[in-house]
């Protein structure tokens, strides 16, 4: 098993926990924003705000293949930051589509990061942001 599908499952669980049961699209969107901003805190020292913005924009573009109604993130539109734009885009979706898109975007950002800096450092950054959620990857790292 690759780390990508594992991270996707972890992001799914985290989003469900953060948004709560029976969450509406706005609840899911707000939860996705909080998760994204926490991830960005870990990424900013490595790739800066512009790097985070670019990775989010690319991830959102890729997610549009599966959730066509998502609005693209444009750098010129970013007065509140890219995750605020993501939140507004997700709020317009049905809850299931918002969840699918949010998980896809978070997983894609982590996959892109892994392709740039490697799986080991990516896993370490995820653990620093969410130590209780990315514990299982320790086992996966030793098996593969």
């Amino acid at each position: 098993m690759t780390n990508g599908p594992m991270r996707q499952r972890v992001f799914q669980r985290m989003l469900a926990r953060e948004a709560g049961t029976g969450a509406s699209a706005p609840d899911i969107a707000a939860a996705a924003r909080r998760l994204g901003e926490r991830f960005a805190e870990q990424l900013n020292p490595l790739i800066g705000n512009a790097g985070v913005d670019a990775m989010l924009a690319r991830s959102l573009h890729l997610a549009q293949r599966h959730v066509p109604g998502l609005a693209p993130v444009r750098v010129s539109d970013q007065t509140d930051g890219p995750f605020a734009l993501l939140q507004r885009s997700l709020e317009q979706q049905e809850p299931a589509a918002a969840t699918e898109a949010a998980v896809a975007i978070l997983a894609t950002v982590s996959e892109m990061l892994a392709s740039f800096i490697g799986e080991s450092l990516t896993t370490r950054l995820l653990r620093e942001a969410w130590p209780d959620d990315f514990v299982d990857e320790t086992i996966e790292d030793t098996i593969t």
Side-chain angles (χ1 to χ4, degrees):
M1 176 184 301
T2 66
N3 284 332
M6 180 179 291
R7 283 192 295 261
Q8 193 168 13
R9 286 192 305 273
V10 173
F11 283 125
Q12 175 81 36
R13 282 193 312 262
M14 289 173 18
L15 185 64
R17 183 182 63 228
E18 187 78 22
T21 51
S24 65
D27 295 333
I28 294 163
R33 179 180 180 172
R34 289 188 298 273
L35 291 174
E37 287 174 346
R38 185 155 186 195
F39 197 8
E41 289 173 12
Q42 298 299 317
L43 299 178
N44 277 332
L46 283 175
I47 62 174
N49 288 333
V52 171
D53 293 353
M55 288 180 68
L56 178 63
R58 181 66 181 151
S59 295
L60 185 53
H61 173 75
L62 294 172
Q64 286 174 322
R65 294 177 183 168
H66 303 290
V67 186
L70 287 175
V73 174
R74 293 180 186 83
V75 176
S76 62
D77 294 342
Q78 295 179 13
T79 55
D80 296 333
F83 291 100
L85 293 172
L86 172 61
Q87 180 179 359
R88 287 193 293 272
S89 182
L90 292 174
E91 287 173 343
Q92 305 306 311
Q93 304 298 314
E94 293 296 321
T99 298
E100 179 184 355
V103 169
I105 290 164
L106 291 167
T108 301
V109 168
S110 72
E111 290 167 19
M112 276 194 283
L113 184 64
S115 74
F116 296 145
I117 66 172
E119 288 290 341
S120 178
L121 187 52
T122 299
T123 299
R124 192 174 91 193
L125 289 171
L126 290 168
R127 284 184 189 141
E128 287 176 14
W130 299 287
D132 295 334
D133 293 298
F134 283 94
V135 173
D136 293 340
E137 285 197 17
T138 303
I139 297 167
E140 189 67 24
D141 288 343
T142 59
I143 293 173
T144 56

